[in-house]
Amino acid sequence: MVKFAQYLAHGEVAYGVVENNVVYQITTTPFEEYEVTDHTHPLDHVELLSPIYPNKVLAIALNYVSHLGKTGAAPRAQPEKPEPFWKSSGAVIGPDEEIIIPRDAGRVEAEGELVIVIGREGKHIPKADALDYVLGYTCGIDVSARVWQKGDVQWWRAKGSDTFAPLGPFITTDLDPSKLHLITRVNGEVKQEAPTSDLIFDVPTIVSFISEVVTLEAGDVIYTGTPGIPPVIEPGDTVEVEVTEIGVLRNSVVSDE
Ligand code: MG
């Protein structure tokens, strides 16, 4: 198991491997051959960035039974196939960055999710081989503006407004994605909690299904869906998403003034 961070230190962006709250800079990126250097920083001395700024951000709707019919913006029936949608890559932000609630957005919710990080290019990936194409996993918040999600033809702003795709803090490799635990908190209070074994469509099924029509590339990410009832967020709130062996992604919420 390796934990990768992307960070800013002394004005330079780098990738590193995190062990015992120390980050060891690596020579390239997690998506290439790399060597771990002896150039280190205490974790709390660097500014963590999103562990990846992806070309493609996909997300799966309706992927926990506990979530079906809970948003007022989605049908209640359990889907018979994965239901991916696009989020904007421009919406990605890192740990501790602010989620900006757009003017006139109305009700906005924070969906805590396990996020797949693709490790290498593939198309028509068989389900049995799918995990070979996954580098690791991170935490994500699928920020969702419900009025727009329900009323617009497309989810371009409901799911793709600036800052609506927080990711981080780390990419952790070699996890069993069916044996993780997801928790979402707002201002310290637990709002969502589920084992990832509850996913209706598991990680190999999702990767295989998407790759039938979309070439997945190193660094692309797939949000896997959210359980239960996602919390409403408002300016002044702090949202945390925690996943086993990955860590806590924390973002504060502000209004677009
Ligand atoms: Mg979602």
Side-chain angles (χ1 to χ4, degrees), residues 35-63:
E35 283 173 30
V36 179
T37 72
D38 56 9
H39 192 61
T40 65
H41 303 277
L43 193 53
D44 58 7
H45 285 200
V46 302
E47 181 184 336
L48 289 177
L49 306 174
S50 171
I52 182 70
Y53 291 97
N55 285 329
K56 295 195 280 295
V57 181
L58 287 127
I60 308 298
L62 310 171
N63 206 23

Side-chain angles (χ1 to χ4, degrees), residues 60 85 111 113 142 159 225-226:
I60 308 298
F85 60 93
E111 301 186 344
E113 308 199 10
D142 177 15
K159 297 282 195 174
T226 203

